[in-house]
Amino acid sequence: MLRPCAHGAAKYGIDAAEWRTHMCGLCLGLRDQHGQLARATTNVDAIVLSVLTEAQSADAAGRSTAGPCALRGMRRASVAAADSPGVRLAATASLLLASAKVRDHVDDGDAARVARTPMAKAASRWAGQARVSAQRIGLDVEPLVAALDSQTRLERAVREQDDPMDSLASLTAPTQLCASEFFAHTAVLADRPGNVDAMRTAGWQFGRIAHLADAVQDYDSDLARGRFNPLAATGTTMPQAYDLLRESDSRLRAAVADAELDTVPTVRWMLLDPLSSVLRGLGRGIGAVGHVCSASHDRADVQLSSRRTRNRRPGVGESLALILGVYCTGYACCAEHTQPCTGERKDPWINNCDCSDCGDCDCGCGDCCNCCDCDCSC
């Protein structure tokens, strides 16, 4: 879900290789601590745990030189130290989530019958390694394991309910619990106890975004294959799901600001901007307005304050909002406006093009603002 744009790195004065620095550090940390097979669990979203730990730490970031790797064109590279606290935490998350995902595939019957036994063994091995890794960094992982184990039971309970409309929160709770505890532990490892509550809140909202975004993206394929989808199972509409996503995004950003990390360039580039891109992409697909707020005006009076918003071509949802004479698509949109809500955005942290406005630009050129049709002016 978190794919930072290489072009956006220059905007923040960051080397675009910083993302690879953390990814390679996680991969090598899994190898050094748990063996070669564990490298298959490398989770690119878990990299944010290493980034957040470093962003809160007063100590200099630990780096080591990695040998040639085919994924780097057989070049050496400076990577996050495999034994650094953030990498150990990211490794724990990768192992635990990989174990849960493989077990879920086995339970759903997605794997061939002959592959189910070895897959189940791999899931059990990774869960055991996650426990060992968590113990080394002082994280109590048992509640998280129990929460992930409860997911199948929760889905079965929702299927059996006559009125499952209020069950979406219970379905997303295991993911939210895991993300919240992992985020909170970044503050523990960085010796920033004052940030624990804020990071736990940020993680709780991140977990809901991850779960709902996956449900939105897989909605059609889940229905076609007869698989469980939390939105379909609870009768949650796409506009309702999008409003929940925007709400969580806003609350996550508020929590990151409380932890005084909202102005840290790496956090903005590797967490906040990619989340903006995810929500923008989903919003274009959904193309709906959730509610009308006090920012309702005639189309001729539409004036948005930031340069980023003025120069950006509106997506489907925003175009529909303009036609209807409203700016907002839900709670979070209002939270991003000046208060009281007049439809004008709060000043952006950095007053130039946000490359996440390009949406999901996957061209690989490293300059997506200039090559894709997003009408940016950076």
Side-chain angles (χ1 to χ4, degrees), residues 89-102:
L89 181 61
T92 304
S94 293
L95 290 164
L96 185 63
L97 296 177
S99 172
K101 185 174 183 179
V102 170

Side-chain angles (χ1 to χ4, degrees), residues 4-28:
C5 176
H7 184 76
K11 175 182 69 175
Y12 294 120
I14 302 172
D15 184 351
E18 186 69 12
W19 184 83
R20 187 187 63 189
T21 294
H22 287 273
M23 183 182 70
C24 292
L26 171 56
C27 181
L28 295 176

Side-chain angles (χ1 to χ4, degrees), residues 273-290:
D273 285 359
L275 285 179
S276 294
S277 183
V278 168
L279 266 67
R280 186 171 293 107
L282 293 175
R284 285 199 299 266
I286 293 171
V289 177

Side-chain angles (χ1 to χ4, degrees), residues 14-307:
I14 302 172
D15 184 351
E18 186 69 12
W19 184 83
R20 187 187 63 189
T21 294
H22 287 273
M23 183 182 70
C24 292
L26 171 56
C27 181
L28 295 176
L30 286 165
R31 181 201 65 183
D32 293 349
Q33 298 162 33
H34 305 288
Q36 289 286 357
L37 184 60
R39 301 173 79 177
T41 70
T42 301
N43 185 310
V44 294
D45 285 347
I47 293 170
V48 73
L49 299 174
S50 178
V51 173
L52 289 172
T53 303
E54 283 193 0
Q56 297 173 81
S57 178
D59 299 330
R63 295 289 183 264
S64 62
T65 301
C69 175
L71 297 180
R72 294 193 299 268
M74 300 308 295
R75 292 189 296 271
R76 295 180 178 273
S78 174
V79 304
D83 60 350
S84 64
V87 169
R88 288 181 179 271
L89 181 61
T92 304
S94 293
L95 290 164
L96 185 63
L97 296 177
S99 172
K101 185 174 183 179
V102 170
R103 188 169 58 249
D104 185 56
H105 283 305
V106 172
D107 293 340
D108 288 345
D110 293 337
R113 187 178 299 274
V114 70
R116 292 176 190 173
T117 297
M119 288 178 66
K121 289 182 178 179
S124 297
R125 178 168 59 253
W126 288 336
Q129 290 173 333
R131 288 183 171 93
V132 173
S133 183
Q135 187 176 18
R136 291 172 179 169
I137 56 175
L139 173 64
D140 183 8
V141 79
E142 293 306 323
L144 312 186
V145 174
L148 292 174
D149 287 343
S150 71
Q151 190 71 53
T152 301
R153 185 176 67 254
L154 290 171
E155 293 176 1
R156 187 181 303 114
V158 169
R159 287 191 183 101
E160 296 171 355
Q161 288 182 16
D162 294 330
D163 184 15
M165 287 294 291
D166 297 327
S167 303
L168 184 62
S170 67
L171 289 174
T172 62
T175 306
Q176 291 181 263
L177 175 63
C178 290
S180 66
E181 292 308 310
F182 279 123
F183 271 55
H185 208 65
T186 64
V188 174
L189 294 176
D191 196 23
R192 292 287 297 275
N195 280 356
V196 170
D197 289 342
M199 296 313 299
R200 180 173 285 114
T201 298
W204 184 262
Q205 301 304 329
F206 180 85
R208 184 162 77 161
I209 292 172
H211 200 119
L212 292 182
D214 184 66
V216 170
Q217 292 169 341
D218 294 345
Y219 189 88
D220 291 334
S221 61
D222 284 345
L223 294 188
R225 300 174 61 184
R227 296 184 59 181
F228 182 89
N229 184 282
L231 302 182
T234 59
T236 304
T237 66
M238 288 295 181
Q240 289 172 332
Y242 187 60
D243 200 27
L244 292 173
L245 286 165
R246 294 293 301 270
E247 178 184 344
S248 284
D249 182 63
S250 179
R251 289 177 175 174
L252 181 149
R253 291 169 187 274
V256 170
D258 287 343
E260 299 182 345
L261 299 177
D262 58 325
T263 58
V264 177
T266 52
V267 173
R268 294 197 63 86
W269 181 56
M270 299 177 72
L271 173 62
L272 301 184
D273 285 359
L275 285 179
S276 294
S277 183
V278 168
L279 266 67
R280 186 171 293 107
L282 293 175
R284 285 199 299 266
I286 293 171
V289 177
H291 80 294
V292 177
C293 75
S294 58
S296 181
H297 304 282
D298 294 334
R299 292 183 64 192
D301 295 331
V302 173
Q303 295 290 333
L304 299 181
S305 61
S306 72
R307 175 187 172 196

